[in-house]
Short mmCIF file of all heavy atoms in Angstrom, two decimals:
data_model
loop_
_atom_site.label_atom_id
_atom_site.label_comp_id
_atom_site.label_asym_id
_atom_site.label_seq_id
_atom_site.Cartn_x
_atom_site.Cartn_y
_atom_site.Cartn_z
N MET A 12 0.84 -1.17 0.00
CA MET A 12 0.00 0.00 0.00
C MET A 12 0.89 1.25 0.00
O MET A 12 1.88 1.32 0.71
CB MET A 12 -0.89 -0.02 1.24
CG MET A 12 -1.80 1.15 1.34
SD MET A 12 -2.94 0.89 2.71
CE MET A 12 -3.25 2.56 3.11
N TYR A 13 0.50 2.21 -0.81
CA TYR A 13 1.27 3.44 -0.89
C TYR A 13 0.92 4.38 0.26
O TYR A 13 -0.24 4.55 0.61
CB TYR A 13 1.00 4.16 -2.22
CG TYR A 13 1.72 3.53 -3.38
CD1 TYR A 13 1.09 2.61 -4.20
CD2 TYR A 13 3.05 3.84 -3.63
CE1 TYR A 13 1.76 2.01 -5.25
CE2 TYR A 13 3.72 3.25 -4.68
CZ TYR A 13 3.07 2.34 -5.49
OH TYR A 13 3.75 1.75 -6.52
N VAL A 14 1.95 4.97 0.84
CA VAL A 14 1.78 6.01 1.84
C VAL A 14 1.91 7.36 1.15
O VAL A 14 1.12 8.27 1.37
CB VAL A 14 2.83 5.88 2.98
CG1 VAL A 14 2.75 7.04 3.93
CG2 VAL A 14 2.64 4.57 3.71
N CYS A 15 2.92 7.48 0.30
CA CYS A 15 3.16 8.72 -0.44
C CYS A 15 3.04 8.44 -1.94
O CYS A 15 3.94 7.87 -2.54
CB CYS A 15 4.55 9.26 -0.11
SG CYS A 15 4.98 10.76 -1.01
N ASN A 16 1.92 8.83 -2.50
CA ASN A 16 1.70 8.61 -3.93
C ASN A 16 2.62 9.49 -4.78
O ASN A 16 3.05 9.07 -5.84
CB ASN A 16 0.24 8.89 -4.30
CG ASN A 16 -0.68 7.82 -3.76
OD1 ASN A 16 -0.33 6.66 -3.72
ND2 ASN A 16 -1.85 8.23 -3.32
N CYS A 17 2.90 10.68 -4.32
CA CYS A 17 3.73 11.62 -5.10
C CYS A 17 5.13 11.06 -5.35
O CYS A 17 5.70 11.25 -6.42
CB CYS A 17 3.82 12.96 -4.39
SG CYS A 17 2.24 13.82 -4.20
N ASN A 18 5.69 10.40 -4.32
CA ASN A 18 7.05 9.87 -4.43
C ASN A 18 7.10 8.35 -4.55
O ASN A 18 8.18 7.77 -4.59
CB ASN A 18 7.87 10.32 -3.21
CG ASN A 18 8.15 11.79 -3.24
OD1 ASN A 18 8.80 12.30 -4.14
ND2 ASN A 18 7.64 12.52 -2.25
N GLY A 19 5.95 7.72 -4.57
CA GLY A 19 5.91 6.27 -4.72
C GLY A 19 6.44 5.52 -3.51
O GLY A 19 6.98 4.43 -3.66
N LEU A 20 6.28 6.08 -2.31
CA LEU A 20 6.75 5.42 -1.10
C LEU A 20 5.65 4.52 -0.56
O LEU A 20 4.53 4.96 -0.33
CB LEU A 20 7.15 6.43 -0.03
CG LEU A 20 8.31 7.35 -0.37
CD1 LEU A 20 8.55 8.34 0.76
CD2 LEU A 20 9.56 6.57 -0.67
N ARG A 21 6.00 3.28 -0.35
CA ARG A 21 5.05 2.30 0.20
C ARG A 21 5.23 2.20 1.71
O ARG A 21 6.21 2.68 2.26
CB ARG A 21 5.28 0.94 -0.44
CG ARG A 21 5.04 0.95 -1.93
CD ARG A 21 5.43 -0.40 -2.52
NE ARG A 21 5.32 -0.39 -3.96
CZ ARG A 21 4.38 -1.05 -4.63
NH1 ARG A 21 3.51 -1.79 -3.99
NH2 ARG A 21 4.34 -0.98 -5.94
N GLN A 22 4.28 1.52 2.34
CA GLN A 22 4.36 1.32 3.78
C GLN A 22 5.68 0.69 4.18
O GLN A 22 6.30 1.08 5.16
CB GLN A 22 3.22 0.42 4.27
CG GLN A 22 2.00 1.16 4.71
CD GLN A 22 0.97 0.23 5.30
OE1 GLN A 22 0.84 -0.93 4.89
NE2 GLN A 22 0.22 0.73 6.24
N ARG A 23 6.12 -0.31 3.42
CA ARG A 23 7.37 -0.99 3.77
C ARG A 23 8.57 -0.06 3.65
O ARG A 23 9.52 -0.18 4.40
CB ARG A 23 7.56 -2.25 2.94
CG ARG A 23 7.76 -2.01 1.47
CD ARG A 23 8.02 -3.31 0.71
NE ARG A 23 8.11 -3.04 -0.71
CZ ARG A 23 7.32 -3.55 -1.61
NH1 ARG A 23 6.35 -4.38 -1.25
NH2 ARG A 23 7.47 -3.26 -2.88
N ASP A 24 8.54 0.90 2.71
CA ASP A 24 9.63 1.87 2.57
C ASP A 24 9.69 2.78 3.80
O ASP A 24 10.77 3.04 4.33
CB ASP A 24 9.44 2.73 1.32
CG ASP A 24 9.40 1.91 0.04
OD1 ASP A 24 10.16 0.93 -0.06
OD2 ASP A 24 8.60 2.27 -0.85
N VAL A 25 8.52 3.22 4.22
CA VAL A 25 8.45 4.08 5.41
C VAL A 25 8.86 3.29 6.65
O VAL A 25 9.64 3.79 7.47
CB VAL A 25 7.04 4.69 5.57
CG1 VAL A 25 6.94 5.50 6.85
CG2 VAL A 25 6.68 5.55 4.36
N ALA A 26 8.39 2.06 6.77
CA ALA A 26 8.74 1.23 7.92
C ALA A 26 10.24 0.98 8.00
O ALA A 26 10.83 1.04 9.09
CB ALA A 26 7.99 -0.10 7.86
N ARG A 27 10.87 0.73 6.87
CA ARG A 27 12.33 0.52 6.86
C ARG A 27 13.06 1.78 7.27
O ARG A 27 14.07 1.71 7.98
CB ARG A 27 12.78 0.07 5.48
CG ARG A 27 12.40 -1.36 5.18
CD ARG A 27 12.88 -1.78 3.81
NE ARG A 27 12.36 -3.10 3.47
CZ ARG A 27 12.03 -3.48 2.27
NH1 ARG A 27 12.17 -2.66 1.25
NH2 ARG A 27 11.56 -4.69 2.05
N ALA A 28 12.58 2.92 6.84
CA ALA A 28 13.21 4.18 7.23
C ALA A 28 13.08 4.40 8.73
O ALA A 28 14.03 4.84 9.39
CB ALA A 28 12.59 5.35 6.46
N ILE A 29 11.92 4.07 9.27
CA ILE A 29 11.71 4.21 10.72
C ILE A 29 12.63 3.26 11.47
O ILE A 29 13.26 3.64 12.46
CB ILE A 29 10.22 3.97 11.07
CG1 ILE A 29 9.35 5.08 10.47
CG2 ILE A 29 10.03 3.88 12.58
CD1 ILE A 29 7.86 4.80 10.52
N GLU A 30 12.73 2.02 11.00
CA GLU A 30 13.64 1.05 11.63
C GLU A 30 15.08 1.52 11.58
O GLU A 30 15.88 1.21 12.47
CB GLU A 30 13.51 -0.30 10.94
CG GLU A 30 12.21 -1.01 11.21
CD GLU A 30 12.01 -2.25 10.36
OE1 GLU A 30 12.96 -2.65 9.63
OE2 GLU A 30 10.91 -2.81 10.39
N ALA A 31 15.42 2.28 10.54
CA ALA A 31 16.78 2.80 10.39
C ALA A 31 17.01 4.07 11.19
O ALA A 31 18.10 4.63 11.16
CB ALA A 31 17.08 3.05 8.92
N GLY A 32 15.97 4.54 11.90
CA GLY A 32 16.15 5.69 12.78
C GLY A 32 15.38 6.95 12.43
O GLY A 32 15.54 7.97 13.10
N ALA A 33 14.56 6.91 11.41
CA ALA A 33 13.78 8.10 11.05
C ALA A 33 12.83 8.44 12.19
O ALA A 33 12.06 7.61 12.63
CB ALA A 33 12.99 7.86 9.76
N ALA A 34 12.91 9.66 12.67
CA ALA A 34 12.08 10.11 13.78
C ALA A 34 11.05 11.14 13.36
O ALA A 34 10.22 11.54 14.17
CB ALA A 34 12.97 10.70 14.88
N ARG A 35 11.11 11.56 12.11
CA ARG A 35 10.17 12.55 11.57
C ARG A 35 9.93 12.22 10.10
O ARG A 35 10.78 11.60 9.46
CB ARG A 35 10.75 13.96 11.62
CG ARG A 35 11.45 14.34 12.88
CD ARG A 35 12.11 15.68 12.73
NE ARG A 35 13.36 15.52 11.98
CZ ARG A 35 14.24 16.47 11.78
NH1 ARG A 35 14.01 17.68 12.24
NH2 ARG A 35 15.34 16.24 11.10
N PRO A 36 8.82 12.68 9.57
CA PRO A 36 8.59 12.46 8.14
C PRO A 36 9.73 13.00 7.28
O PRO A 36 10.12 12.38 6.29
CB PRO A 36 7.28 13.21 7.88
CG PRO A 36 6.55 13.11 9.18
CD PRO A 36 7.64 13.25 10.21
N ARG A 37 10.30 14.09 7.68
CA ARG A 37 11.44 14.67 6.95
C ARG A 37 12.58 13.66 6.82
O ARG A 37 13.24 13.58 5.78
CB ARG A 37 11.90 15.92 7.68
CG ARG A 37 13.08 16.59 7.10
CD ARG A 37 13.47 17.72 8.00
NE ARG A 37 14.39 18.62 7.36
CZ ARG A 37 14.80 19.74 7.90
NH1 ARG A 37 14.36 20.11 9.08
NH2 ARG A 37 15.65 20.50 7.28
N ASP A 38 12.82 12.90 7.88
CA ASP A 38 13.87 11.88 7.86
C ASP A 38 13.55 10.77 6.86
O ASP A 38 14.45 10.24 6.20
CB ASP A 38 14.06 11.27 9.26
CG ASP A 38 14.46 12.28 10.31
OD1 ASP A 38 15.08 13.31 9.95
OD2 ASP A 38 14.13 12.05 11.49
N VAL A 39 12.27 10.43 6.76
CA VAL A 39 11.85 9.40 5.80
C VAL A 39 12.13 9.89 4.38
O VAL A 39 12.70 9.17 3.57
CB VAL A 39 10.35 9.07 5.97
CG1 VAL A 39 9.89 8.10 4.88
CG2 VAL A 39 10.06 8.49 7.35
N PHE A 40 11.75 11.13 4.10
CA PHE A 40 12.00 11.69 2.77
C PHE A 40 13.50 11.77 2.48
O PHE A 40 13.95 11.44 1.39
CB PHE A 40 11.36 13.07 2.63
CG PHE A 40 9.87 13.03 2.57
CD1 PHE A 40 9.11 13.64 3.55
CD2 PHE A 40 9.21 12.40 1.53
CE1 PHE A 40 7.72 13.62 3.50
CE2 PHE A 40 7.82 12.37 1.45
CZ PHE A 40 7.08 12.98 2.46
N ASP A 41 14.27 12.21 3.45
CA ASP A 41 15.73 12.31 3.27
C ASP A 41 16.33 10.94 2.95
O ASP A 41 17.19 10.82 2.08
CB ASP A 41 16.40 12.89 4.52
CG ASP A 41 16.16 14.37 4.69
OD1 ASP A 41 15.66 15.02 3.74
OD2 ASP A 41 16.44 14.89 5.79
N ARG A 42 15.86 9.93 3.66
CA ARG A 42 16.39 8.57 3.44
C ARG A 42 16.13 8.09 2.02
O ARG A 42 16.94 7.37 1.45
CB ARG A 42 15.78 7.61 4.45
CG ARG A 42 16.22 6.18 4.25
CD ARG A 42 15.99 5.36 5.48
NE ARG A 42 16.24 3.96 5.26
CZ ARG A 42 17.44 3.39 5.21
NH1 ARG A 42 18.52 4.12 5.39
NH2 ARG A 42 17.57 2.09 5.01
N HIS A 43 15.01 8.51 1.46
CA HIS A 43 14.65 8.08 0.11
C HIS A 43 14.98 9.14 -0.94
O HIS A 43 14.56 9.02 -2.09
CB HIS A 43 13.16 7.71 0.05
CG HIS A 43 12.86 6.49 0.87
ND1 HIS A 43 13.20 5.22 0.46
CD2 HIS A 43 12.30 6.34 2.09
CE1 HIS A 43 12.86 4.36 1.38
NE2 HIS A 43 12.30 5.01 2.38
N GLN A 44 15.73 10.14 -0.53
CA GLN A 44 16.20 11.20 -1.43
C GLN A 44 15.06 11.83 -2.23
O GLN A 44 15.13 11.93 -3.46
CB GLN A 44 17.29 10.66 -2.34
CG GLN A 44 18.46 10.13 -1.56
CD GLN A 44 19.42 9.33 -2.40
OE1 GLN A 44 19.14 8.93 -3.52
NE2 GLN A 44 20.60 9.09 -1.84
N CYS A 45 14.02 12.21 -1.50
CA CYS A 45 12.89 12.89 -2.13
C CYS A 45 12.36 13.93 -1.17
O CYS A 45 12.89 14.10 -0.08
CB CYS A 45 11.80 11.88 -2.53
SG CYS A 45 11.13 10.89 -1.17
N ALA A 46 11.33 14.62 -1.57
CA ALA A 46 10.74 15.68 -0.76
C ALA A 46 9.23 15.58 -0.83
O ALA A 46 8.67 15.09 -1.83
CB ALA A 46 11.20 17.03 -1.25
N PRO A 47 8.54 16.07 0.21
CA PRO A 47 7.08 16.04 0.15
C PRO A 47 6.57 16.94 -0.97
O PRO A 47 7.16 17.97 -1.25
CB PRO A 47 6.65 16.56 1.52
CG PRO A 47 7.82 17.31 2.04
CD PRO A 47 9.03 16.69 1.43
N GLN A 48 5.51 16.51 -1.60
CA GLN A 48 4.90 17.30 -2.67
C GLN A 48 3.59 17.89 -2.16
O GLN A 48 3.49 19.08 -1.96
CB GLN A 48 4.66 16.42 -3.91
CG GLN A 48 5.92 15.75 -4.45
CD GLN A 48 6.96 16.74 -4.94
OE1 GLN A 48 6.63 17.67 -5.65
NE2 GLN A 48 8.20 16.52 -4.57
N CYS A 49 2.59 17.06 -1.97
CA CYS A 49 1.29 17.55 -1.52
C CYS A 49 1.16 17.46 0.01
O CYS A 49 0.27 18.06 0.59
CB CYS A 49 0.15 16.79 -2.19
SG CYS A 49 -0.03 15.08 -1.63
N ALA A 50 2.02 16.68 0.65
CA ALA A 50 2.09 16.50 2.11
C ALA A 50 0.89 15.76 2.71
O ALA A 50 0.74 15.74 3.92
CB ALA A 50 2.30 17.84 2.81
N LYS A 51 0.07 15.11 1.89
CA LYS A 51 -1.04 14.33 2.43
C LYS A 51 -0.54 13.13 3.22
O LYS A 51 -1.24 12.62 4.09
CB LYS A 51 -1.96 13.86 1.30
CG LYS A 51 -2.78 14.96 0.70
CD LYS A 51 -3.70 14.40 -0.39
CE LYS A 51 -4.49 15.53 -1.02
NZ LYS A 51 -5.37 15.00 -2.09
N CYS A 52 0.66 12.68 2.95
CA CYS A 52 1.22 11.49 3.59
C CYS A 52 1.84 11.78 4.96
O CYS A 52 2.08 10.85 5.73
CB CYS A 52 2.29 10.88 2.69
SG CYS A 52 3.63 12.02 2.31
N VAL A 53 2.09 13.02 5.27
CA VAL A 53 2.82 13.37 6.49
C VAL A 53 2.10 12.87 7.74
O VAL A 53 2.73 12.33 8.65
CB VAL A 53 3.10 14.88 6.54
CG1 VAL A 53 3.65 15.30 7.89
CG2 VAL A 53 4.06 15.27 5.43
N CYS A 54 0.79 13.01 7.81
CA CYS A 54 0.04 12.54 8.98
C CYS A 54 0.17 11.04 9.16
O CYS A 54 0.36 10.56 10.28
CB CYS A 54 -1.43 12.95 8.88
SG CYS A 54 -1.71 14.71 9.07
N GLU A 55 0.08 10.30 8.06
CA GLU A 55 0.21 8.85 8.15
C GLU A 55 1.62 8.46 8.58
O GLU A 55 1.81 7.54 9.37
CB GLU A 55 -0.15 8.19 6.82
CG GLU A 55 -0.21 6.68 6.93
CD GLU A 55 -0.78 6.01 5.70
OE1 GLU A 55 -1.32 6.69 4.81
OE2 GLU A 55 -0.66 4.77 5.63
N MET A 56 2.62 9.16 8.07
CA MET A 56 4.00 8.88 8.48
C MET A 56 4.18 9.16 9.97
O MET A 56 4.81 8.37 10.68
CB MET A 56 4.99 9.72 7.68
CG MET A 56 5.19 9.24 6.29
SD MET A 56 6.49 10.21 5.51
CE MET A 56 6.30 9.72 3.81
N ARG A 57 3.63 10.27 10.44
CA ARG A 57 3.73 10.59 11.87
C ARG A 57 3.08 9.50 12.72
O ARG A 57 3.60 9.13 13.77
CB ARG A 57 3.08 11.94 12.16
CG ARG A 57 3.90 13.10 11.73
CD ARG A 57 3.26 14.41 12.16
NE ARG A 57 4.05 15.53 11.70
CZ ARG A 57 3.54 16.65 11.22
NH1 ARG A 57 2.24 16.81 11.14
NH2 ARG A 57 4.34 17.61 10.81
N GLN A 58 1.94 9.01 12.25
CA GLN A 58 1.24 7.95 12.97
C GLN A 58 2.10 6.68 13.00
O GLN A 58 2.20 6.03 14.03
CB GLN A 58 -0.10 7.66 12.32
CG GLN A 58 -0.91 6.61 13.05
CD GLN A 58 -2.27 6.38 12.41
OE1 GLN A 58 -2.65 7.05 11.47
NE2 GLN A 58 -2.99 5.41 12.93
N MET A 59 2.71 6.33 11.89
CA MET A 59 3.57 5.15 11.84
C MET A 59 4.76 5.30 12.77
O MET A 59 5.15 4.35 13.45
CB MET A 59 4.04 4.89 10.41
CG MET A 59 2.95 4.43 9.48
SD MET A 59 3.50 4.22 7.77
CE MET A 59 4.56 2.76 7.94
N ILE A 60 5.34 6.49 12.81
CA ILE A 60 6.48 6.75 13.70
C ILE A 60 6.05 6.61 15.15
O ILE A 60 6.73 5.99 15.97
CB ILE A 60 7.09 8.13 13.41
CG1 ILE A 60 7.77 8.12 12.03
CG2 ILE A 60 8.05 8.55 14.51
CD1 ILE A 60 8.11 9.50 11.49
N GLN A 61 4.89 7.18 15.49
CA GLN A 61 4.39 7.10 16.87
C GLN A 61 4.08 5.67 17.27
O GLN A 61 4.41 5.25 18.37
CB GLN A 61 3.16 7.99 17.06
CG GLN A 61 2.70 8.09 18.50
CD GLN A 61 3.78 8.67 19.42
OE1 GLN A 61 4.39 9.69 19.11
NE2 GLN A 61 4.02 8.02 20.53
N GLU A 62 3.47 4.91 16.37
CA GLU A 62 3.17 3.51 16.66
C GLU A 62 4.46 2.72 16.89
O GLU A 62 4.52 1.85 17.77
CB GLU A 62 2.37 2.89 15.52
CG GLU A 62 0.94 3.38 15.47
CD GLU A 62 0.20 2.94 14.22
OE1 GLU A 62 0.79 2.25 13.36
OE2 GLU A 62 -0.99 3.30 14.10
N SER A 63 5.49 3.04 16.14
CA SER A 63 6.77 2.38 16.33
C SER A 63 7.37 2.72 17.69
O SER A 63 7.88 1.85 18.39
CB SER A 63 7.73 2.79 15.21
OG SER A 63 9.00 2.23 15.42
N ARG A 64 7.28 3.98 18.06
CA ARG A 64 7.78 4.41 19.39
C ARG A 64 7.01 3.72 20.51
O ARG A 64 7.59 3.28 21.49
CB ARG A 64 7.65 5.92 19.53
CG ARG A 64 8.65 6.69 18.74
CD ARG A 64 8.46 8.17 18.95
NE ARG A 64 9.39 8.93 18.13
CZ ARG A 64 9.25 10.20 17.84
NH1 ARG A 64 8.22 10.88 18.30
NH2 ARG A 64 10.15 10.81 17.09
N ASP A 65 5.68 3.67 20.35
CA ASP A 65 4.84 3.03 21.36
C ASP A 65 5.21 1.55 21.50
O ASP A 65 5.30 1.04 22.63
CB ASP A 65 3.36 3.18 21.03
CG ASP A 65 2.87 4.62 21.12
OD1 ASP A 65 3.58 5.47 21.69
OD2 ASP A 65 1.77 4.89 20.58
N ALA A 66 5.40 0.88 20.39
CA ALA A 66 5.75 -0.54 20.42
C ALA A 66 7.11 -0.75 21.08
O ALA A 66 7.30 -1.69 21.86
CB ALA A 66 5.75 -1.12 19.02
N PHE A 67 8.04 0.15 20.78
CA PHE A 67 9.38 0.04 21.38
C PHE A 67 9.30 0.27 22.88
O PHE A 67 9.93 -0.44 23.66
CB PHE A 67 10.32 1.06 20.73
CG PHE A 67 11.73 0.95 21.23
CD1 PHE A 67 12.56 -0.09 20.83
CD2 PHE A 67 12.24 1.89 22.10
CE1 PHE A 67 13.84 -0.20 21.29
CE2 PHE A 67 13.53 1.80 22.56
CZ PHE A 67 14.35 0.76 22.17
N ALA A 68 8.52 1.27 23.31
CA ALA A 68 8.38 1.56 24.73
C ALA A 68 7.72 0.40 25.46
O ALA A 68 8.12 0.04 26.57
CB ALA A 68 7.56 2.84 24.93
N LEU A 69 6.73 -0.22 24.83
CA LEU A 69 6.06 -1.36 25.43
C LEU A 69 7.02 -2.54 25.55
O LEU A 69 7.03 -3.22 26.58
CB LEU A 69 4.84 -1.76 24.59
CG LEU A 69 3.95 -2.85 25.13
CD1 LEU A 69 3.35 -2.43 26.47
CD2 LEU A 69 2.86 -3.18 24.15
N ALA A 70 7.83 -2.75 24.56
CA ALA A 70 8.79 -3.84 24.59
C ALA A 70 9.87 -3.61 25.63
O ALA A 70 10.42 -4.56 26.19
CB ALA A 70 9.43 -4.02 23.22
N ALA A 71 10.16 -2.35 25.93
CA ALA A 71 11.20 -2.01 26.90
C ALA A 71 10.74 -2.21 28.34
O ALA A 71 11.55 -2.25 29.24
CB ALA A 71 11.68 -0.58 26.69
N GLU A 72 9.43 -2.31 28.53
CA GLU A 72 8.91 -2.46 29.90
C GLU A 72 9.16 -3.82 30.46
O GLU A 72 9.33 -4.80 29.95
CB GLU A 72 7.39 -2.19 29.91
CG GLU A 72 7.09 -0.74 29.68
CD GLU A 72 5.59 -0.46 29.71
OE1 GLU A 72 4.79 -1.41 29.84
OE2 GLU A 72 5.22 0.70 29.58
#
């Protein structure tokens, strides 16, 4: 499933960027050497980043 249609970024691309340390949507775009166009994907990226943080915090308990 595509997260960013403008740049062709799929969920797995965003997830890999987050696993590699992306803490903001900007980091995801930097990792894939692109930039936001319409920015509709930014909210979904933020949600994915937060879910990853929550899962990590839960695992650390």
Side-chain angles (χ1 to χ4, degrees):
M12 180 172 153
Y13 283 96
V14 173
C15 178
N16 289 323
C17 297
N18 290 298
L20 297 178
R21 297 175 185 250
Q22 268 185 328
R23 66 177 176 241
D24 300 322
V25 176
R27 287 181 187 146
I29 294 168
E30 290 171 7
R35 316 173 282 186
R37 178 185 194 175
D38 300 333
V39 175
F40 290 117
D41 287 348
R42 177 161 172 78
H43 293 285
Q44 301 168 346
C45 59
Q48 303 296 315
C49 71
K51 288 182 182 179
C52 59
V53 171
C54 290
E55 188 171 349
M56 285 186 192
R57 284 185 182 140
Q58 183 178 356
M59 290 177 70
I60 291 166
Q61 187 59 48
E62 288 171 359
S63 176
R64 287 180 182 162
D65 292 346
F67 184 75
L69 185 61
E72 290 181 357

